[in-house]
């Protein structure tokens, strides 16, 4: 495959891991990998295997698929019979005070969402469903765990797997490496098929990206992002994408949305205060002059950036 970028000259894309969310696996043709994928939680789920055999792959897929199907039934804001929709009216009224009533196995997902609401002074909020409905993104529940639930599901499945197949878990672009190192590209949101940088995802690490370039509606000729500032109820403008590297997929998932709302300056201060060492990257919505704004932790991980990099301190 030809490319003007040296990083991509010998790259092959595997099914488009995290397509539309801003991440892709990059690999040399000699590195054999196998990908299994299926629809769940309103997105495309996948497992990427390095080594192992078909029997081991099948068992891993079955285990993960059953886990994610069960969590989809419980945490979906689009299923009228979900546990979330049943609990939502009480949660919307009393917020985190309702947490003791939530089943213990999924309580960490709810608790983390409300923790982010408190830590971000309301910039992020799980009680955002009505505001999303108002601008045209339909929900059946006033409570929406979409910004943390997929990451939570990846972490639950991660614990259910072993290292034998060198598996990478992918749930709609929420990635976590079960074993091995995975060379991962950050998509250029302004030019499909190009990347602005890459990094190596190490065993146990997770990464997630939030962006305004795939999930949006158009109104009066303008794109309206699905990511809202919960303090105002208005779509966030000025940022095209945020990528977060963290120790768990739920943390990366929730922080990518939170940092999208906060922006580079306030977001860097937020990380220093609450999650020091977490690596983050912002892509401002400047198509004619792309730039990466990164934390110190992310600056040490970037490989071959294709545009100017500004380190947030």
């Amino acid at each position: 495959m030809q490319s003007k970028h040296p990083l991509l000259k010998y790259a092959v894309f595997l099914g488009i891991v995290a397509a539309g969310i801003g991440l892709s696996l990059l690999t040399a043709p000699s590195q054999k990998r196998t990908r299994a994928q299926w629809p769940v939680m309103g997105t495309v789920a996948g497992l990427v295997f390095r080594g192992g055999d078909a029997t081991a792959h099948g068992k891993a897929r079955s285990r993960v698929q059953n886990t994610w199907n069960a969590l989809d039934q419980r945490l979906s804001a689009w299923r009228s019979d979900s546990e979330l929709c049943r609990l939502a009216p009480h949660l919307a009224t009393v917020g985190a005070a309702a947490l003791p009533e939530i089943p213990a196995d999924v309580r960490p997902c709810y608790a983390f969402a409300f923790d982010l609401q408190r830590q971000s002074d309301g910039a992020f909020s799980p009680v955002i469903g009505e505001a999303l409905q108002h601008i045209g993104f339909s929900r059946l529940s006033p409570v929406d765990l979409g910004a943390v639930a997929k990451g939570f599901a990846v972490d639950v499945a991660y614990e259910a797997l072993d290292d034998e197949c060198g598996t990478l878990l992918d749930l709609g672009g929420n990635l976590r490496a079960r074993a091995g190192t995975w060379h991962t590209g950050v998509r250029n949101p302004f030019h499909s098929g190009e990347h602005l940088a890459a990094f190596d995802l190490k065993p146990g690490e997770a990464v997630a990206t939030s962006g305004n370039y795939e999930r949006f509606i158009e109104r009066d000729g303008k794109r309206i992002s699905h990511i809202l500032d919960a303090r105002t109820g208005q779509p966030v403008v000025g940022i095209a994408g945020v990528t977060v590297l963290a120790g768990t997929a739920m943390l990366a998932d929730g922080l990518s949305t939170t940092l999208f709302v906060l922006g580079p300056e306030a977001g860097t201060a937020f990380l220093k205060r609450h999650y020091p060492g977490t690596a983050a990257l912002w892509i401002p919505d400047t198509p004619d002059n792309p730039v990466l704004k990164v934390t110190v932790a992310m600056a040490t991980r970037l490989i071959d950036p294709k545009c100017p990099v500004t380190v947030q301190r």
Side-chain angles (χ1 to χ4, degrees):
M1 180 173 66
Q2 298 298 315
S3 170
K4 63 183 179 181
H5 297 325
L7 175 66
L8 301 183
K9 186 174 181 181
Y10 302 105
V12 228
F13 292 83
L14 295 180
I16 309 189
V17 173
I21 312 294
L23 300 168
S24 293
L25 286 183
L26 306 175
T27 181
S30 61
Q31 294 178 323
K32 183 179 180 181
R33 297 176 181 174
T34 304
R35 177 176 170 87
Q37 64 182 38
W38 63 93
V40 69
M41 297 183 86
T43 187
V44 177
L47 290 175
V48 185
F49 302 100
R50 181 188 289 140
D53 55 34
T55 299
H57 297 172
K59 289 180 179 179
R61 171 178 172 157
S62 178
R63 193 176 304 131
V64 172
Q65 190 166 2
N66 289 340
T67 297
W68 287 347
N69 284 341
L71 288 173
D72 184 29
Q73 292 173 359
R74 299 178 65 183
L75 301 177
S76 175
W78 293 270
R79 299 173 63 112
S80 60
D81 60 344
S82 72
E83 190 174 88
L84 172 64
C85 284
R86 177 175 59 81
L87 294 169
H90 190 41
L91 281 164
T93 301
V94 303
L99 291 176
E101 303 173 28
I102 296 170
D105 62 332
V106 293
R107 195 177 302 155
C109 183
Y110 288 84
F112 179 58
F114 283 104
D115 281 346
L116 282 180
Q117 181 182 39
R118 173 182 52 82
Q119 293 167 346
S120 67
D121 294 324
F124 172 94
S125 175
V127 189
I128 200 72
E130 290 183 359
L132 285 165
Q133 290 174 341
H134 179 71
I135 65 169
F137 294 94
S138 60
R139 300 288 191 278
L140 296 176
S141 167
V143 177
D144 185 1
L145 296 177
V148 297
K150 292 183 180 66
F152 173 75
V154 168
D155 291 335
V156 172
Y158 174 90
E159 296 297 337
L161 291 177
D162 54 39
D163 295 344
E164 291 181 4
C165 295
T167 315
L168 178 80
L169 298 101
D170 170 19
L171 183 52
N174 295 277
L175 310 180
R176 191 169 181 190
R178 189 67 181 86
T181 298
W182 302 82
H183 194 53
T184 308
V186 178
R187 172 184 166 181
N188 183 340
F190 314 117
H191 295 284
S192 178
E194 294 186 2
H195 293 78
L196 292 180
F199 56 87
D200 288 334
L201 187 66
K202 300 176 182 178
E205 289 185 330
V207 63
T209 290
S210 291
N212 70 356
Y213 41 90
E214 287 292 337
R215 295 183 61 194
F216 60 89
I217 60 174
E218 288 194 5
R219 183 175 295 168
D220 299 326
K222 296 181 179 179
R223 287 187 178 187
I224 299 177
S225 171
H226 72 290
I227 302 175
L228 304 187
D229 184 335
R231 298 167 295 190
T232 65
Q234 296 300 310
V236 178
V237 296
I239 298 293
V242 175
T243 295
V244 176
L245 270 168
T248 69
M250 183 170 67
L251 182 58
D253 193 10
L255 287 182
S256 68
T257 300
T258 305
L259 298 179
F260 192 99
V261 174
L262 292 176
E265 289 74 24
T268 298
F270 174 85
L271 288 180
K272 287 181 178 179
R273 186 162 59 251
H274 297 290
Y275 301 98
T278 299
L281 172 156
W282 290 263
I283 304 175
D285 197 4
T286 55
D288 295 332
N289 298 289
V291 62
L292 304 178
K293 295 192 174 185
V294 304
T295 61
V296 172
M298 181 62 88
T300 66
R301 302 291 297 271
L302 285 186
I303 300 170
D304 200 16
K306 307 301 179 185
C307 63
V309 177
T310 300
V311 180
Q312 303 294 128
R313 300 185 183 276

